[in-house]
């Protein structure tokens, strides 16, 4: 079966909960999804939270929903592992139009995997 997003990508789902307004990290669950990672250019940079625009960033396309970091850091986003680096998902642009349903995410660099 052919797909628009031909690469298997590792994702780390961070579990945990808010305790008195502070995120307490639980276990990290690794998995994979089929997607594509691309460089960020142009107007996509404007979609990043202001505090994350100076770090490296990528676009992630997938049919799989991923967890997005909340502003203020109360809940972390999923971590996409790509080219030996970790990228935290910080913004989501769902394209659920009934033609080619998919998600476009923006992720910022967390450092080496």
């Amino acid at each position: 079966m052919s797909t628009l997003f031909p690469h298997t990508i590792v994702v780390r789902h961070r579990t945990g909960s808010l305790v008195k307004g502070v995120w307490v990290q639980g276990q990290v669950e690794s998995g994979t999804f089929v997607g594509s990672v691309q460089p960020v250019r142009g107007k996509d940079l404007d979609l990043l939270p202001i505090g994350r625009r100076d770090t490296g960033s990528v676009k992630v396309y997938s049919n799989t929903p991923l967890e997005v970091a909340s502003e203020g850091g109360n809940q972390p986003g999923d971590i996409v592992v790509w080219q030996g680096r970790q990228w935290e998902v910080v913004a989501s642009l769902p394209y659920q139009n009934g033609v080619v349903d998919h998600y476009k995410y923006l992720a910022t660099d967390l450092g080496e995997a």
Side-chain angles (χ1 to χ4, degrees):
M1 181 173 168
S2 176
T3 180
L4 184 61
F5 309 111
H7 303 285
T8 300
I9 300 169
V10 173
V11 63
R12 295 181 180 147
H13 303 285
R14 297 188 276 186
T15 63
S17 61
L18 287 175
V19 177
K20 296 183 181 179
V22 177
W23 180 260
V24 176
Q25 184 69 38
Q27 295 201 10
V28 176
E29 301 170 359
S30 290
T32 61
F33 67 94
V34 176
S36 177
V37 179
Q38 305 293 322
V40 173
R41 292 195 173 93
K43 292 187 178 192
D44 286 333
L45 289 171
D46 294 336
L47 300 173
L48 289 169
I50 292 173
R52 302 215 184 203
R53 290 183 187 169
D54 294 337
T55 64
S57 53
V58 293
K59 292 184 279 191
V60 179
Y61 293 94
S62 174
N63 295 333
T64 303
L66 300 174
E67 189 67 40
V68 178
S70 64
E71 285 194 45
N74 290 335
Q75 181 174 340
D78 284 342
I79 296 173
V80 173
V81 179
W82 181 68
Q83 291 190 342
R85 301 197 67 79
Q86 299 183 98
W87 306 85
E88 182 179 23
V89 178
V90 297
S92 172
L93 300 157
Y95 291 95
Q96 307 299 308
N97 57 15
V99 178
V100 181
D101 293 340
H102 66 283
Y103 299 90
K104 174 181 173 181
Y105 297 101
L106 297 177
T108 57
D109 193 357
L110 293 177
E112 291 185 24

